[in-house]
Amino acid sequence: MTATRTILVSGDAAAPTVAAATALHAARQGRRTLLLAADDPHRTLDAALGTRLEPEPAAYAPGLTVARIDEQSAFRHALGEIGGRLKPALDLLGAEPLDPEELTALPGTARLALLRALPAAEADVLVVLAPPPAELIGALALPEQLERYLARLVPEQRQAARALRPLLAGLAGVPMPADWLYEGRSKAAGVLAEARAAITAPGTSVRLVTAADGHPYGELRRIRAGLALHGHRPDAVVVHGALPQAAAGSPDPWLAGLARRREEELAALAATSDVPVLVTGLAEVTLEAVADRLYGSGPGPAPLAPEPWSVEDRLAEEGLLVWHLALPGADRADLDLVRRGDELVVGLGAHRRVLALPSALRRCTVAGAGLNDGVLAVRFAPDPALWPRG
């Protein structure tokens, strides 16, 4: 079975149009395509398509089906799975369980619903109208974060815990976790592994959408850095609302000057970007026209592999090992580094990631760090007490 090509379209108010045009283009290329609306409470994708999206996929055009992620249903389903486990505790407290009609999705449920939808999609191409970039980065980071919490709070050594539970309960004087806790942990770990596999698959990528006006390029750099921190690289930047080239020769000096500034900004973005920059203008009023302008007759941008993070051996020259972390777009003022045992906590503005140190670096102390040309270089000096002699 061919792996699904997943495109997460995220950005400003034009993202629904770009997502719809991208899905339509894939379907016209002969690929079985599913277009999903995620975290779209105002039904902006419905307006772009001119139809109402429902949780059940419905045919929209030849080869293209459309649907929306039902956050409420996903929340009720998740609670339903654990409701039976909670009932004895609720009975003990004298509490009455909530009826399904009373349940309202909590903040963060949309991220979980998106993560569960990605591995479940059955299509050659999955196009998702994703949350705005900051929220999308948080969603992409969630499986790794939750896996870490599970490993710390509910250790995986289930069999040992079961065998020792009576002894430990006697020593501690408190009841030990029941079997259902470990069973739930195993199930949650499986769901997280599926979501993480879908996110990190070679065919999964993010496509950023931004307006030609408003000088958004500083924000694009910060988004790019946040994605890179969590191991993702956008496959393209779509700039919409560009003025036609003829505007630069307009007799109106204000319009001509504006058009020239826009051209210079786009040229600067294309020159400094390591991903394709696609442009759509004001004249494209149909989804077909937007798709033709962005992708032509080709398949569209291919997913780009994230830049590798590597350890450089400078022991002979400087007595150091240097860990190079590619963070294009990162600003030194936004960086925050903390060594915590065998981990390095990297903060980048609003984003944070806990990285396990490569084995050689665990026996070192941090000797400094520097950011140059979008690469964070963290220097490590061997700890004489831990480093092998000779």
Side-chain angles (χ1 to χ4, degrees):
M1 181 178 177
T2 304
T4 299
R5 170 76 169 99
T6 301
I7 305 169
L8 301 164
V9 180
S10 177
D12 62 11
T17 299
V18 173
T22 301
L24 185 62
H25 177 75
R28 291 163 70 188
Q29 293 270 311
R31 291 175 287 178
R32 190 166 50 102
T33 304
L34 172 61
L35 174 60
L36 266 183
D39 196 18
D40 184 27
H42 303 297
R43 292 186 172 270
T44 54
L45 188 55
D46 297 39
L49 293 169
T51 189
R52 184 177 177 84
L53 275 63
E54 301 293 349
E56 286 299 319
Y60 177 80
L64 174 60
T65 55
V66 296
R68 67 184 298 107
I69 296 175
D70 190 340
E71 181 183 348
Q72 291 285 354
S73 294
F75 180 66
R76 291 170 182 167
H77 175 75
L79 282 187
E81 288 185 331
I82 64 173
R85 305 295 189 184
L86 295 177
K87 189 176 186 305
L90 294 175
D91 290 343
L92 183 63
L93 296 172
E96 294 185 8
L98 294 171
D99 293 329
E101 294 76 14
E102 297 179 82
L103 298 175
T104 302
L106 299 175
T109 307
R111 294 184 182 183
L112 297 174
L114 171 60
L115 294 176
R116 297 199 70 160
L118 293 182
E122 297 181 358
D124 300 328
V125 178
L126 171 64
V127 180
V128 181
L129 174 59
E135 297 177 31
L136 176 60
I137 293 171
L140 295 176
L142 196 55
E144 180 179 287
Q145 293 171 343
L146 292 181
E147 285 175 345
R148 174 183 170 79
Y149 297 158
L150 275 180
R152 292 288 297 273
L153 299 176
V154 189
E156 195 173 2
Q157 295 82 359
R158 175 186 173 188
Q159 296 302 324
R162 291 181 66 183
L164 296 174
R165 188 176 300 130
L167 174 61
L168 294 175
L171 292 174
V174 296
M176 299 305 294
D179 281 342
W180 70 264
L181 179 61
Y182 293 97
E183 291 168 2
R185 184 230 187 271
S186 298
K187 186 171 184 178
V191 172
L192 291 173
E194 288 180 355
R196 193 171 183 183
I199 288 171
T200 59
T204 298
S205 61
V206 177
R207 194 161 299 173
L208 299 175
V209 181
T210 187
D213 57 357
H215 309 286
Y217 306 124
E219 180 63 18
L220 277 177
R221 287 194 296 271
R222 288 186 286 272
I223 294 169
R224 175 74 178 89
L227 287 169
L229 176 63
H230 294 287
H232 302 285
R233 186 182 183 188
D235 62 11
V237 173
V238 177
V239 179
H240 68 89
L243 293 172
Q245 291 183 344
S250 170
D252 183 340
W254 180 85
L255 179 59
L258 178 63
R260 285 193 294 270
R261 287 196 300 273
R262 294 284 185 266
E263 288 181 359
E264 292 170 359
E265 290 172 350
L266 282 174
L269 177 63
T272 58
S273 178
D274 59 346
V275 301
V277 177
L278 310 177
V279 181
T280 181
L282 300 172
E284 291 81 36
V285 294
T286 67
L287 295 179
E288 291 81 1
V290 174
D292 291 341
R293 173 73 183 270
L294 291 177
Y295 310 121
S297 59
L304 300 172
E307 298 179 48
W309 294 0
S310 60
V311 177
E312 180 184 3
D313 187 344
R314 294 187 189 170
L315 291 174
E317 301 87 352
E318 305 174 36
L320 296 172
L321 295 172
V322 183
W323 196 13
H324 296 282
L325 309 179
L327 299 174
D331 190 316
R332 185 177 286 102
D334 293 332
L335 271 173
D336 181 28
L337 296 176
V338 177
R339 168 76 182 269
R340 181 183 177 279
D342 291 340
E343 298 170 330
L344 184 68
V345 183
V346 183
L348 194 56
H351 309 292
R352 180 172 294 263
R353 187 179 183 188
V354 181
L355 300 169
L357 291 174
S359 58
L361 303 184
R362 297 174 188 174
R363 293 176 280 119
C364 300
T365 58
V366 176
L371 180 67
N372 187 35
D373 291 333
V375 177
L376 174 63
V378 187
R379 300 183 296 277
F380 292 82
D383 185 340
L386 300 176
W387 201 257
R389 298 182 180 275

